[in-house]
Amino acid sequence: MIRRGLALFLLWSVGAPALAFAAPERVVSMNLCTDQLALLIAGEGQLISVSHLAREQRSSVLAEQAARVPVNHGRAEEVFLMRPDLVIAGTFTTRATVEMLRRLGMRVEEFAPANSFDDIRVNIRRMGALLGREARAENLVANFNDGLADVEAAAGGADPLAALYYTNSYTSGVGTLADEIVTASGLQNLSERYELQGTVKLPLELLVMGAPDLVIGREAFSQAPALARENYQHPALRAFGAIAEMQSKYWICGAPFTLQAATNLLALRERHLANETLGQ
Amino acid sequence: MSLLEARELSVRIGSHQVVENAQVVVNEGEVVGLIGPNGAGKSSLLRALVGLSEHKGQVFLAGEDAKGLSPRMRALRFAYLPQEREVNWPVSVETVVGLGRSPHHTGPAAMSDSDRRAIDAALAEMDLTHLRERQVQTLSGGERARTLTARALAQEAPLVIADEPTAALDPAHQIGLMETFRRLAKTRQGALLCLHDLGLAARWCDRIIVMKKGRIVAEGSPARVMTAGLLSEVYGVSAFVDADACGPLVLPTGLASASAS
Amino acid sequence: MSSRAPSYPVLIGGLTVLSILLFAASLLIGPAAIGFWDSLAALIAGEGEAATLVMREIRLPRAILGFMIGATLGLSGAVLQGLLRNPLADPGLLGISASASLGAVIAIYTGLSAAFALALPLSALLGAVLAVLAVQALAGAHGGNLTLILAGVAVSSLAAALTSLALNLSPNPFAALEIVFWMLGSLQDRAMTHVVLAAPFMLLGWAMLAGLGRSLDALTLGEDAAASLGVNLRRVRLLAVFGTASAVGAATSVAGAIGFIGLVVPHLLRPLVGGRPSRLLLASALAGGAVLLAADVATRVLAPGRDLKLGVLTAIVGAPFFLWLIYRTRRAML
């Protein structure tokens, strides 16, 4: 009985993609970044589940909105039982889970993380198309472009040197969204000067030798002690003043709120330039 | 004066009384032989005498209570040669013999002339001069035993306490070793030797202590103690006992039970 | 054999020169390409603001810790081998390093060391002491090679498991990733604060171990003979256990567990010092320091920017050596 039921169900789901021109009605998102795009774009009741990370205050900008949607933990069986007509995952979501859902006949769309402002626009529009909410997506893109133009207008003039220095000594180099945010905010990225590609380690020595005007870090993800943030305590960093600890949630995902990361950097840059004028 | 005196010495290992109420004296100029069958408690008695095991009773070294002496002070009063011929690292014969000099230094001092003299003398005494550079682990069992005995001699303590020093030696080196102890006795030193070779014990010792089942059952000159009757009673062997101009001759000839019954 | 070996002063002199050269290499090699003379000027005269920071705050503490930790491991290995009369004794194989790691992990991840800095080395020291006592209790006073190694494996595995458990239970998601550091060790971005914290305990440990040479020589003949030669065995054991625990505990608390140096170094040097445990101490300390400095320089040259763990290199060299050693001593073990 159960097996026959399952078979019928599978037949039904295999047929589902053929109806894709109609907007999906039961959308499950399994990735923090797709969660947030979907929360911004989806219509009333269209999004039936987001990942549990979407409710974390420290990593999610839309934690409050996410609290009103049931969560999933990225496990194939729980997603399957939600009977979605569209599953949205990140390309970093567990491969096995995605493969399993596809084998079960689910329609799964994967989103690559945004590595540039252009990626953000592409991802917003694609989400809009998938959810049948193209107008909403275009609206978001237009707002994003306006906001970005404002940031870039405000960022003219001097461009102080900034070192991005995360937990465990990681940094963002060429080809990363963080690099674009830094540049758009009127700062030079030290890692770009060293021609570092992607998210890699920045040896403390190179940071020190680069003599940056600002060291930009991330706020602690957890208050529990770990060695990951020991690099922030290193005496060699004292010469550069306090590390500016930015709120991670604006940096993790590429989305309209990425503008907030740029705005925060702008404020930081303003303070630095003001201090410098005072010092002289 | 006695070099060593033990009063009412008892040793217990677990619930087993291995030495009971032993009185032992070794005087200056005396070679004392300790004999007895396997398990009689000879090694346990020696270990207690040198302070290696828990015991009841008192031990005096040259008149002083051994309990009040530091390990180094004890080492200056006697040299002890354990039954196990243990040498752990690939060290030279000379290095092992040189270890006998360690009680004479308190710090990491360089070797003095008297150290060198003592080492050379001990090497010569044990017929090892030609082997001094050799690694101990490349030596034969007898050569190794002689090396360890040389170590005890180089210590230059007034008393040598040795557990089966003649084991593994060929007859010439056995006799050589016993002559060495006799020479030491002439310079008012002393030796307490646990021996299995009854012939050697009878011929070279001034005095014999006989142990059986943890007790000292006889003590006195070899001629007086080592009689056929006692050997039969203690060891369960029949023995040929005689004497020549140089001293007593003892040769076990058979199992006592076989001839007695 | 002994005629071909170099004389002791020549050996010590050679190892000292080697250590100095590797110390210099550790100061001169790094991701920031600073010229030779510029490095010296920055280190000694403080010329050039950034270069001075790099030399004094980043490379100098790393080089100091590299030498001191290597020396600690070499010296501890030599002492443990002499004390236990066992060529397989080593702080890593006996589980001392792993237990020190556990102690350090408990101090750090409970927040204890943040409140009270000395809690870090002290807790690691406590872990190390417990490991030595446990191994001794398990293997017994006259335990052979096999029992000793088995006891070490048991203690090591338990400590490693508890370390992983403690890190996995931490609410901080980064903690679990740090298991690698505690098991394999690294000197990446160690600061003067770490030197200040660990060096006194390492020096204290060295002081306790340095005087044991004569006693360890006597122990060549076994415990009974050593005792009769005036060695106070209880004192020697106490000094060896607490000296090793203090030095290895402090070393592990700032750099994680680094294996095999204490095993390999004394073994390679033994024929060069005529097998004498006393002469092995200083030689093993110098050579251990040199080996760890070399390994640390290698991590920077082989995989710059990847934070290759030190224990990976020492194990790649040390583990085959260990196998060879087992192969050679297997008759004695069984």
Side-chain angles (χ1 to χ4, degrees):
Chain A
M1 271 306 279
I2 294 173
R3 194 178 291 173
R4 189 189 293 172
L6 188 65
L8 278 174
F9 183 72
L10 286 180
L11 267 176
W12 169 78
S13 355
V14 168
L19 306 167
F21 53 84
E25 286 163 7
R26 300 181 60 80
V27 178
V28 171
S29 167
M30 296 169 62
N31 169 281
L32 175 63
C33 295
T34 56
D35 289 344
Q36 298 187 81
L37 283 182
L39 282 167
L40 285 170
I41 295 170
E44 192 68 30
Q46 194 179 16
L47 184 62
I48 60 164
S49 176
V50 292
S51 81
H52 66 110
L53 288 174
R55 287 187 179 176
E56 299 271 347
Q57 292 286 351
R58 284 178 194 277
S59 46
S60 171
V61 178
L62 304 175
E64 259 176 58
Q65 289 89 319
R68 293 194 289 268
V69 182
V71 295
N72 66 72
H73 300 82
R75 287 192 286 265
E77 62 222 282
E78 66 174 335
V79 171
F80 181 80
L81 291 173
M82 287 172 180
R83 302 180 43 189
D85 49 8
L86 173 63
V87 175
I88 304 171
T91 48
F92 286 165
T93 311
T94 323
R95 303 299 313 163
T97 310
V98 169
E99 294 303 320
M100 167 77 79
L101 288 171
R102 287 217 168 106
R103 269 202 306 282
L104 290 171
M106 300 268 123
R107 177 182 173 209
V108 184
E109 292 291 338
E110 291 177 276
F111 276 67
N115 286 324
S116 63
F117 291 142
D118 266 342
D119 285 356
I120 294 178
R121 296 183 190 105
V122 168
N123 281 351
I124 293 174
R125 288 193 170 113
R126 183 171 164 222
M127 186 65 82
L130 285 173
L131 300 182
R133 302 269 297 170
E134 289 86 350
R136 167 74 176 149
E138 281 311 321
N139 196 4
L140 285 173
V141 170
N143 285 345
F144 177 73
N145 288 340
D146 291 349
L148 189 58
D150 289 347
V151 166
E152 282 170 339
D159 47 354
L161 184 61
L164 289 171
Y165 197 52
Y166 313 141
T167 42
N168 282 322
S169 308
Y170 278 95
T171 192
S172 296
V174 180
T176 59
L177 179 60
D179 182 52
E180 284 211 11
I181 299 173
V182 168
T183 311
S185 312
L187 298 166
Q188 289 181 68
N189 184 2
L190 177 64
S191 300
E192 203 174 280
R193 189 178 283 188
Y194 286 124
E195 293 171 6
L196 297 178
Q197 303 280 334
T199 301
V200 291
K201 293 222 177 202
L202 172 63
L204 184 56
E205 288 189 6
L206 291 185
L207 189 159
V208 170
M209 290 304 287
D213 300 305
L214 290 164
V215 179
I216 298 169
R218 293 270 181 87
E219 64 179 355
F221 193 75
S222 159
Q223 291 307 308
L227 297 181
R229 289 171 65 80
E230 235 190 7
N231 56 330
Y232 285 16
Q233 313 292 327
H234 202 290
L237 280 177
R238 277 198 298 254
F240 306 104
I243 294 174
E245 297 188 8
M246 313 308 287
Q247 285 178 285
S248 298
K249 61 182 177 183
Y250 296 117
W251 294 74
I252 297 173
C253 296
F257 50 72
T258 299
L259 283 176
Q260 187 60 47
T263 310
N264 292 348
L265 278 191
L266 265 184
L268 191 69
R269 172 174 172 273
E270 296 294 327
R271 269 205 304 281
H272 170 75
L273 292 175
N275 281 345
E276 213 163 53
T277 330
L278 274 179
Q280 287 159 4
Chain B
M1 191 177 65
S2 70
L3 295 169
L4 171 82
E5 185 180 353
R7 291 182 199 154
E8 294 170 8
L9 200 70
S10 294
V11 181
R12 194 177 254 286
I13 297 177
S15 63
H16 197 60
Q17 191 81 38
V18 290
V19 177
E20 205 171 342
N21 209 17
Q23 321 282 335
V24 179
V25 176
V26 181
N27 293 307
E28 286 176 347
E30 213 179 15
V31 178
V32 178
L34 179 63
I35 65 170
N38 295 141
K42 305 185 297 294
S43 292
S44 299
L45 175 60
L46 291 193
R47 283 175 52 82
L49 286 173
V50 299
L52 286 174
S53 59
E54 291 286 313
H55 56 264
K56 276 190 198 155
Q58 285 175 296
V59 177
F60 294 91
L61 294 169
E64 273 187 80
D65 193 331
K67 279 208 179 77
L69 295 172
S70 69
R72 195 174 83 86
M73 292 312 288
R74 277 200 291 258
L76 289 171
R77 289 172 198 227
F78 66 81
Y80 169 63
L81 187 62
Q83 195 173 358
E84 290 78 24
R85 306 285 190 248
E86 194 177 338
V87 180
N88 286 285
W89 305 114
V91 286
S92 70
V93 168
E94 187 174 3
T95 303
V96 169
V97 176
L99 290 175
R101 300 305 296 167
S102 52
H104 296 270
H105 302 274
T106 45
M111 218 175 256
S112 68
D113 284 344
S114 62
D115 291 335
R116 266 186 216 100
R117 270 197 302 276
I119 293 168
D120 288 345
L123 285 170
E125 194 76 61
M126 286 294 106
D127 189 21
L128 290 166
T129 309
H130 61 293
L131 297 175
R132 67 189 300 162
E133 303 277 326
R134 278 274 291 278
Q135 265 186 29
V136 177
Q137 267 135 350
T138 67
L139 299 179
S140 73
E143 289 166 337
R144 175 189 280 226
R146 274 148 58 203
T147 303
L148 290 167
T149 308
R151 186 278 297 170
L153 296 179
Q155 206 168 328
E156 291 190 326
L159 174 65
V160 176
I161 299 174
D163 204 339
E164 298 190 32
T166 58
L169 299 193
D170 60 44
H173 285 110
Q174 284 187 345
I175 291 171
L177 178 62
M178 295 312 288
E179 280 185 340
T180 299
F181 288 126
R182 288 246 56 90
R183 252 197 316 280
L184 291 178
K186 272 191 192 135
T187 57
R188 304 183 63 73
Q189 290 173 287
L192 175 59
L193 313 173
C194 169
L195 295 168
H196 270 303
D197 188 313
L198 299 178
L200 283 176
R203 205 163 177 85
W204 299 96
C205 293
D206 297 303
R207 191 150 52 85
I208 298 288
I209 295 173
V210 186
M211 285 189 82
K212 188 184 180 187
K213 291 182 180 164
R215 291 173 169 276
I216 293 177
V217 293
E219 187 178 349
S221 69
R224 203 163 61 82
V225 170
M226 297 180 81
T227 60
L230 179 118
L231 294 176
S232 163
E233 186 195 319
V234 171
Y235 282 97
V237 295
S238 57
F240 169 76
V241 179
D242 199 356
D244 67 5
C246 296
L249 291 167
V250 175
L251 180 69
T253 54
L255 292 178
S257 54
S259 55
S261 58
Chain C
M1 189 73 198
S2 55
S3 57
R4 267 185 288 139
S7 80
Y8 185 60
V10 170
L11 179 70
I12 295 300
L15 289 174
T16 307
V17 171
L18 186 66
S19 297
I20 292 171
L21 287 177
L22 285 162
F23 191 85
S26 179
L27 285 176
L28 294 171
I29 296 171
I34 309 175
F36 180 79
W37 296 111
D38 290 344
S39 302
L40 284 189
L43 180 67
I44 296 158
E47 283 174 24
E49 199 184 347
T52 302
L53 274 178
V54 168
M55 295 306 295
R56 289 187 181 170
E57 299 286 358
I58 299 175
R59 292 197 191 164
L60 185 60
R62 186 170 186 162
I64 291 174
L65 283 177
F67 179 78
M68 289 191 78
I69 292 170
T72 290
L73 296 171
L75 177 63
S76 303
V79 167
L80 289 171
Q81 291 178 17
L83 178 74
L84 302 167
R85 283 150 287 137
N86 189 323
L88 301 180
D90 154 75
L93 287 179
L94 296 189
I96 300 171
S97 298
S99 304
S101 270
L102 176 60
V105 161
I106 291 172
I108 289 180
Y109 296 85
T110 55
L112 194 62
S113 65
F116 170 57
L118 279 180
L120 177 61
L122 286 175
S123 177
L125 192 157
L126 182 67
V129 169
L130 291 178
V132 187
L133 297 181
V135 167
Q136 280 200 335
L138 281 169
H142 301 285
N145 284 331
L146 194 59
T147 38
L148 194 73
I149 295 306
L150 287 178
V153 167
V155 169
S156 232
S157 311
L158 182 64
L162 291 175
T163 301
S164 302
L165 180 67
L167 293 175
N168 278 319
L169 289 180
S170 165
N172 190 324
F174 288 106
L177 302 174
E178 286 156 16
I179 293 173
V180 184
F181 169 82
W182 291 110
M183 306 245 169
L184 290 171
S186 168
L187 287 172
Q188 181 87 39
D189 294 345
R190 301 289 88 184
M192 273 302 170
T193 41
H194 296 110
V195 177
V196 169
L197 203 58
F201 289 94
M202 286 196 265
L203 291 173
L204 176 73
W206 295 359
M208 291 165 90
L209 300 179
L212 293 178
R214 196 167 279 276
S215 305
L216 295 178
D217 275 352
L219 273 167
T220 299
L221 304 181
E223 292 194 352
D224 285 0
S228 79
L229 280 167
V231 172
N232 187 334
L233 287 176
R234 188 192 298 256
R235 185 174 157 275
V236 168
R237 275 195 211 105
L238 218 60
L239 283 173
V241 167
F242 282 96
T244 304
S246 175
V248 175
T252 308
S253 73
V254 294
I258 299 164
F260 293 106
I261 287 181
L263 174 78
V264 176
V265 165
H267 198 82
L268 290 181
L269 290 174
R270 187 164 288 119
L272 302 181
V273 297
R276 290 179 63 174
S278 59
R279 296 197 154 179
L280 207 48
L281 300 188
L282 179 57
S284 293
L286 287 170
V291 167
L292 192 55
L293 283 172
D296 187 39
V297 169
T299 63
R300 278 176 265 176
V301 175
L302 294 178
R306 290 285 171 90
D307 189 18
L308 179 60
K309 298 288 183 252
L310 274 171
V312 174
L313 284 185
T314 57
I316 284 175
V317 178
F321 178 85
F322 179 49
L323 292 176
W324 172 77
L325 209 56
I326 290 178
Y327 177 76
R328 249 191 33 164
T329 57
R330 68 194 191 283
R331 259 170 306 175
M333 290 178 75
L334 301 172

